Amino acid sequence: MNKPIVADNKPIPVDLKSGENYYFCACGKSASQPFCDGSHKGTDFTPIAFTAEENGKAYLCQCKQTGKLPFCDGSHAKIPADQVGKEFAFESKGNADAAPES
Ligand code: FES
């Protein structure tokens, strides 16, 4: 398994506490989304540790494609519903750092 599983194609709102440490599930296999439950064992994935910077609601990624881990960046909108529960990764653009065509 080298692609994460799409846990869902929408973010999940969670209440975070300032200064508290969390472990975000990067593999998509956790039954406790969006947090790690140890299900990544045997995969190439490890959880992403982060510390909440403020109290309050945050929308964490469940599609596992966000560029702003662990927070939703809207990438889920490009994932078809039939990919939920399956391994998925956007095709690499290969030349993402190239200057835009003029
Ligand atoms: S269960 Fe997914 S990273 Fe741990």
Side-chain angles (χ1 to χ4, degrees):
M1 170 180 173
N2 57 12
K3 295 177 184 172
I5 290 171
V6 176
D8 207 343
N9 63 348
K10 59 181 180 294
I12 186 167
V14 294
D15 286 315
L16 300 179
K17 289 195 179 103
S18 179
E20 198 145 304
N21 297 322
Y22 298 91
Y23 291 90
F24 174 80
C25 169
C27 73
K29 292 180 74 176
S30 173
S32 303
Q33 291 296 327
F35 302 113
C36 174
D37 72 353
S39 297
H40 61 271
K41 279 202 178 81
T43 74
D44 298 336
F45 293 89
T46 53
I48 306 221
F50 71 99
T51 304
E53 292 179 0
E54 53 190 37
N55 287 322
K57 190 161 287 185
Y59 288 84
L60 300 191
C61 173
Q62 293 196 100
C63 74
K64 312 303 177 185
Q65 306 298 317
T66 180
K68 289 187 355 185
L69 281 170
F71 302 101
C72 173
D73 74 351
S75 293
H76 61 272
K78 295 182 236 155
I79 299 176
D82 66 359
Q83 293 300 308
V84 174
K86 297 179 185 164
E87 289 184 31
F88 181 84
F90 290 124
E91 293 299 319
S92 167
K93 293 186 184 80
N95 209 5
D97 293 329
E101 291 176 35
S102 53

